[in-house]
Amino acid sequence: ESQFVWQSGTGARLIQDRGRVSVCARPGQGAGSPAEASSGGGAYPSVPLSCPLPGVPKAVFAAAEGRERFETRVSVLENGLRVASQNKFGQFCTVGLLVNSGSRHEAKYLSGISHFLEKLAFSSTAQFGSKDEILLTLEKHGGICDCQASRDTIMYAVSAEARGLDTVVNLLADVALRPRLSDEEIEMTRAAIRFELEDLNMRPDPEPLLTEMIHAAAYRDNTVGLNRFCPVENTDKIGRDVLHSYLRNYYTPDRMVLAGVGIEHEQLVECARKHLLGVEPVWGSGQARDVDRSVAQYTGGIVKVEKDMSDVSLGPTPIPELTHIMIGLESCSFLEEDFIPFAVLNMMMGGGGSFSAGGPGKGMFTRLYLNVLNRHHWMYNATSYHHSYEDTGLLCIHASADPKQVREMVEIITREFILMAGDVGEVELERAKTQLKSMLMMNLESRPVIFEDVGRQVLATNTRKLPHELCALISQVKSTDIKRVVTKMLHKKPAVAALGDLTDLPTYEHIQAALSSRDGRLPLVYRLFR
């Protein structure tokens, strides 16, 4: 028995005949013509699977409209505020206000203001009597809110249903420009900051602490080297007047970007005009007089914190006592062309913890796994990081091991820095570039990540490089580019952060000498007694 299954636009039809499948031509085409085939491959015995079948119509696939270059749109309002948006289809949108303000701008103020502002965000405002009222308003649109402060940016963001855009922009404007900053809220923030600082010093993972220390060592007492966390002694000194004085200078429209993903640009601009144009901030609308426009000055240096790490994680399987070292060198800003080669280099170095259940995609073929963790079983961690800002950057390697093997660990890391300037294999370079592109594209599938990317790029450059442009730049990186940027980087003084039992830590001068040598080895030290 034959059963009719499918008929194409060309008139050919698929017939299932007692388990034998064949493509039959239109009437009149005749048996044995190219349009007839069987599952046994009788009609096309010599056509490989990689070639299209002769006589079969060419498939037409759906294609993008070619409007990708118009994806991110930017408008500037009369007061200087920038509005940036990218359409992303779906029921929800992410909208936020990014301000060019952070701990790097606190040189003339008490350190810790940005930390306070981050914790005080989405508290009571001129329109909303409490944090609960704000959350209830967002709940009506299925929304959530968050505020994050970094060294150079503070970001107020909301994800909610696109239909509630007007409510969301009104809320963001009120939160950023008209917070009440009541005595009770400031007191609660002080308590929250004290708890966070205590928690930071007790965590088994010292990475946030080491990041602070390496920045303090690399940019001593200036810009990105200023502390991101509020020092304990400043918690009682920061009040409403201090905050208003800071906000008056840095929360001005020309230092802000309203970014949105998942909404129409015209709609966002209309909401911005309604809620962010001609608004009187709670601290007054006087001109900003004292804005810090300092450029980061890389100094290099060392920051050491002697700390007993033996009881960091007690219990049935305690974490062993470790000493943590981070060594960094100045790279470049994200506005420079060399930023892409540095990003590829960072991916090529990779690294991670001594235990990882991942395969090649996890970075098991990166240099810090192959050359360090796989060869030295006693090393618990070796990871590469790249921090980049609008006027500087820092490439560093974090390593941890038993306190008795600190000297050996430092030498292994200095040798890896020297080897960066050596030959780069074509396979490892291509792998690093592919991994970087893969990570970029995967991250940019998430709406909040797209929002942050749009906001930060427009805040820094007034425009946005799209993912396919960045992928093209990554593809152009050659091994000579890696060698060039590393050679330039190795001429700088190192920045060193050390935490834990530092009895066997080499001197800063010895680490500097190792990074200036040909093989990265530390100078020999002769001791009578050990």
Side-chain angles (χ1 to χ4, degrees):
E1 285 178 39
S2 295
Q3 182 192 351
F4 173 74
V5 181
W6 168 79
Q7 184 161 348
S8 76
T10 61
R13 63 188 188 278
L14 187 69
I15 298 222
Q16 191 174 342
D17 185 7
R18 290 194 184 92
R20 187 167 170 272
V21 180
S22 62
V23 179
C24 296
R26 290 190 298 268
Q29 220 172 348
S33 66
E36 188 180 311
S38 72
S39 58
Y44 301 110
S46 59
V47 180
L49 291 173
S50 56
C51 297
L53 291 172
V56 175
K58 192 177 177 183
V60 180
F61 297 100
E65 291 178 16
R67 288 178 55 97
E68 195 178 10
R69 57 202 176 96
F70 302 117
E71 262 188 353
T72 307
R73 295 175 62 187
V74 182
S75 299
V76 183
L77 301 190
E78 290 83 345
N79 61 357
L81 182 122
R82 286 156 286 177
V83 181
S85 76
Q86 178 172 318
N87 215 341
K88 183 175 166 59
F89 304 100
Q91 192 182 347
F92 281 77
C93 66
T94 300
V95 182
L97 207 55
L98 290 93
V99 189
N100 185 6
S101 151
S103 58
R104 70 170 294 161
H105 301 109
E106 292 172 3
K108 297 175 185 175
Y109 293 87
L110 285 167
S111 177
I113 289 176
S114 297
H115 196 185
F116 257 80
L117 292 172
E118 180 186 34
K119 292 278 173 275
L120 282 162
F122 296 100
S123 297
S124 63
T125 68
Q127 278 185 54
F128 301 92
S130 67
K131 192 166 197 156
D132 289 346
E133 207 174 310
I134 287 174
L135 295 175
L136 282 169
T137 305
L138 284 173
E139 259 180 43
K140 289 173 189 169
H141 300 285
I144 53 168
C145 61
D146 186 29
C147 177
Q148 290 180 8
S150 63
R151 292 189 143 72
D152 53 2
T153 312
I154 189 159
M155 183 168 65
Y156 301 86
V158 171
S159 283
E161 265 191 317
R163 286 181 298 179
L165 181 65
D166 189 71
T167 309
V168 165
V169 176
N170 174 38
L171 171 67
L172 286 166
D174 223 42
V175 162
L177 300 174
R178 290 180 293 185
R180 283 189 189 168
L181 305 178
S182 68
D183 293 340
E184 187 188 353
E185 285 167 349
I186 288 173
E187 203 49 59
M188 284 173 69
T189 300
R190 285 173 180 151
I193 286 173
R194 285 192 198 105
F195 174 79
E196 192 176 337
L197 294 172
E198 205 175 311
D199 176 59
L200 202 66
N201 287 310
M202 290 166 64
R203 274 191 207 171
D205 174 28
E207 204 266 319
L209 211 56
L210 279 164
T211 302
E212 286 305 302
M213 289 164 64
I214 197 80
H215 278 83
Y219 307 93
R220 196 168 291 278
D221 299 330
N222 77 87
T223 58
V224 292
L226 300 174
N227 202 339
R228 194 166 69 84
F229 299 107
C230 179
V232 181
E233 62 272 16
N234 284 0
T235 50
D236 290 325
K237 297 175 189 173
I238 295 175
R240 192 187 298 109
D241 293 342
V242 175
L243 293 169
H244 277 183
S245 163
Y246 179 86
L247 291 164
R248 193 175 293 114
N249 282 321
Y250 291 99
Y251 275 46
T252 53
D254 58 302
R255 299 178 70 87
M256 292 182 180
V257 168
L258 178 70
V261 176
I263 27 83
E264 293 293 335
H265 186 71
E266 287 75 17
Q267 203 183 345
L268 187 64
V269 171
E270 190 185 324
C271 290
R273 285 186 182 282
K274 183 177 170 185
H275 301 294
L276 287 158
L277 202 57
V279 177
E280 176 81 16
V282 75
W283 47 85
S285 57
Q287 283 290 92
R289 288 169 299 186
D290 207 12
V291 176
D292 184 2
R293 291 192 169 85
S294 306
V295 174
Q297 302 297 314
Y298 181 83
T299 58
I302 186 165
V303 171
K304 297 190 283 189
V305 176
E306 283 269 3
K307 190 179 175 188
D308 179 14
M309 308 280 278
S310 57
D311 58 351
V312 153
S313 174
L314 301 171
T317 53
I319 292 174
E321 184 183 354
L322 300 173
T323 295
H324 301 271
I325 305 291
M326 203 179 256
I327 299 175
L329 289 162
E330 189 183 20
S331 57
C332 71
S333 86
F334 57 66
L335 300 175
E336 294 176 50
E337 285 183 5
D338 284 347
F339 172 66
I340 302 291
F342 269 117
V344 173
L345 171 66
N346 181 52
M347 192 56 80
M348 192 172 80
M349 296 309 293
S354 57
F355 170 79
S356 173
K362 184 84 184 288
M364 301 303 268
F365 285 100
T366 56
R367 283 194 180 185
L368 292 179
Y369 264 115
L370 291 175
N371 302 350
V372 178
L373 293 165
N374 287 1
R375 293 186 187 181
H376 308 284
H377 66 90
W378 45 267
M379 279 192 71
Y380 277 79
N381 184 30
T383 315
S384 175
Y385 296 96
H386 188 216
H387 306 279
S388 204
Y389 306 96
E390 62 182 354
D391 51 3
T392 186
L394 193 64
L395 184 87
C396 34
I397 294 177
H398 166 212
S400 49
D402 186 275
K404 294 183 183 67
Q405 285 165 310
V406 169
R407 185 180 171 83
E408 204 176 336
M409 170 172 70
V410 170
E411 188 169 85
I412 287 164
I413 299 308
T414 54
R415 279 165 64 189
E416 282 306 312
F417 269 111
I418 297 298
L419 287 169
M420 285 182 199
D423 293 331
V424 179
E426 198 57 42
V427 174
E428 70 170 340
L429 180 65
E430 283 306 314
R431 186 187 289 123
K433 283 155 66 171
T434 306
Q435 256 186 296
L436 183 60
K437 285 187 273 192
S438 164
M439 191 179 76
L440 176 75
M441 301 308 283
M442 196 165 64
N443 286 340
L444 288 172
E445 285 181 16
S446 159
R447 192 182 61 249
V449 174
I450 300 171
F451 154 75
E452 190 174 340
D453 185 49
V454 170
R456 283 183 182 276
Q457 284 202 50
V458 172
L459 192 64
T461 65
N462 296 321
T463 183
R464 181 185 178 226
K465 272 198 177 95
L466 292 171
H468 70 269
E469 295 175 75
L470 291 168
C471 285
L473 291 170
I474 293 166
S475 297
Q476 289 166 18
V477 175
K478 299 183 178 69
S479 56
T480 50
D481 297 321
I482 303 289
K483 207 166 184 174
R484 175 176 51 79
V485 297
V486 172
T487 306
K488 185 180 167 187
M489 178 178 73
L490 287 169
H491 284 121
K492 307 280 175 66
K493 283 175 69 179
V496 181
L499 177 69
D501 179 352
L502 309 178
T503 314
D504 289 343
L505 179 72
T507 63
Y508 177 75
E509 290 71 26
H510 281 190
I511 295 171
Q512 195 174 354
L515 288 167
S516 306
S517 69
R518 281 187 174 185
D519 56 5
R521 292 189 181 279
L522 290 163
L524 292 170
V525 175
Y526 299 100
R527 294 182 186 176
L528 287 172
F529 306 102
R530 182 160 178 83

